[in-house]
Amino acid sequence: MFPGATTDREAASYVVVGAPLDATTTFQPGTRFGPDRVRKFAETYDDYDRRTDSRFSALGVHDAGDVRPWDDVPEYLGHLAAELRSVVYDDATPLLLGGEHTVTYAGVDAVDPDVLVVADAHLDLREAYDGNPWNHACVTRRCLDDLGVDRAVIVGARTGSEAEWNRAADADVEVVAPEDAREWLDALDENGFADDDSVYCSVDIDGLDPAYAPGTGTMEPFGLEPREVRDLVRAVAPLADGFDVVEVNDRDDGQAAAVAGKLLREFAYSHADASEAAEDDDRTDSSE
């Protein structure tokens, strides 16, 4: 169980779901161990968050465990999406723990957002990788082309094939290089998110520089710093209807898992804080 996720499923505002898919990893496997590893390295975190003056255990988080994968990736993603859609139907927010980045497809399918915001070293805009359109290197492309996401913002991308960079030049993709991430965050309010846009936030842990998160399958140097990804999650969470953190494996001493668990908590704290503030505003408006 994710530490602090003590609420019953029926009463939950947030539902953690593990998706330990490890079917298409192209270099260092081990994402099947990701969800449990994130849970383990989140055990030491204090319940209280001073920034939001709240306790994680009081946010209404439930851990539904893992959705066990099998080797038919499209079929598994359909099943996973159905599990996550049940969370959405219950007016709760899904918090997905990967697993390889392909599982984001199921999260996006369940939430049906207008905008996908991704922290990632890679563009993941391939039509197929080694002939497989469900490879983790294709997930953002699948969300755009197959699920009808209007726009993808890829923060931290620093590598891709020539064909991917050509696809990234299209109007429905915005790429924010690592060196531009802070400026993009500082200008988030002017970055084109409409008031009625629904957003899904995905963090591929390899978006961070591997010096901070070496426990991932395809490390790419010169990446984002942890505070930049934390601030991205804090900024996007109030706009988002779903979140995942993916591509954590077991090939380090827990650095990647520790960051991933902290980012999930940051999302929940920020999302809940914004929701409470909106409810307070509504009550004030109704009383005037």
Side-chain angles (χ1 to χ4, degrees), residues 82-132:
E83 295 288 335
L84 297 172
R85 200 172 292 116
S86 72
V87 175
V88 176
Y89 288 165
D90 289 339
D91 294 323
T93 301
L95 307 175
L96 183 61
L97 290 175
E100 64 176 68
H101 206 169
T102 311
V103 302
T104 295
Y105 180 94
V108 171
D109 192 11
V111 170
D112 191 25
D114 301 304
V115 182
L116 170 62
V117 178
V118 189
D120 201 336
H122 309 88
L123 293 171
D124 287 352
L125 290 171
R126 296 174 186 264
E127 178 56 44
Y129 187 93
D130 286 344
N132 181 6

Side-chain angles (χ1 to χ4, degrees), residues 62-271:
H62 173 79
D63 190 339
D66 291 350
V67 177
R68 184 183 61 82
W70 58 94
D71 57 2
D72 188 327
V73 173
E75 185 177 326
Y76 172 70
L77 293 174
H79 177 65
L80 177 61
E83 295 288 335
L84 297 172
R85 200 172 292 116
S86 72
V87 175
V88 176
Y89 288 165
D90 289 339
D91 294 323
T93 301
L95 307 175
L96 183 61
L97 290 175
E100 64 176 68
H101 206 169
T102 311
V103 302
T104 295
Y105 180 94
V108 171
D109 192 11
V111 170
D112 191 25
D114 301 304
V115 182
L116 170 62
V117 178
V118 189
D120 201 336
H122 309 88
L123 293 171
D124 287 352
L125 290 171
R126 296 174 186 264
E127 178 56 44
Y129 187 93
D130 286 344
N132 181 6
W134 297 104
N135 186 278
H136 68 141
C138 310
V139 63
T140 302
R141 181 69 172 267
R142 296 278 72 77
C143 291
L144 287 165
D145 291 1
D146 299 355
L147 295 178
V149 171
D150 294 335
R151 177 182 171 211
V153 183
I154 310 168
V155 181
R158 49 199 183 270
T159 188
S161 68
E162 183 177 1
E164 285 182 282
W165 284 111
N166 289 336
R167 178 65 179 86
D170 291 347
D172 60 350
V173 179
E174 178 182 0
V175 179
V176 181
E179 57 268 25
D180 299 325
R182 177 56 59 187
E183 181 180 358
W184 183 86
L185 282 167
D186 291 343
L188 185 63
D189 289 342
E190 291 82 38
N191 272 334
F193 291 97
D195 290 341
D196 58 350
D197 276 345
S198 60
V199 178
Y200 186 94
C201 182
S202 175
V203 176
D204 184 329
I205 208 69
D206 70 27
L208 280 75
D209 192 276
Y212 301 109
T216 192
T218 314
M219 292 182 284
E220 187 70 31
F222 313 126
L224 298 166
E225 295 190 2
R227 287 192 187 92
E228 292 172 328
V229 182
R230 178 202 66 184
D231 291 350
L232 182 153
V233 169
R234 286 179 176 177
V236 174
L239 311 171
D241 298 318
F243 172 79
D244 68 51
V245 59
V246 298
E247 293 288 348
V248 172
N249 66 22
D250 61 339
R251 292 172 176 264
D252 67 2
D253 292 326
Q255 297 96 314
V259 173
K262 201 72 168 179
L263 291 173
L264 184 147
R265 288 165 56 102
E266 289 287 349
F267 179 92
Y269 282 129
S270 298
H271 189 277

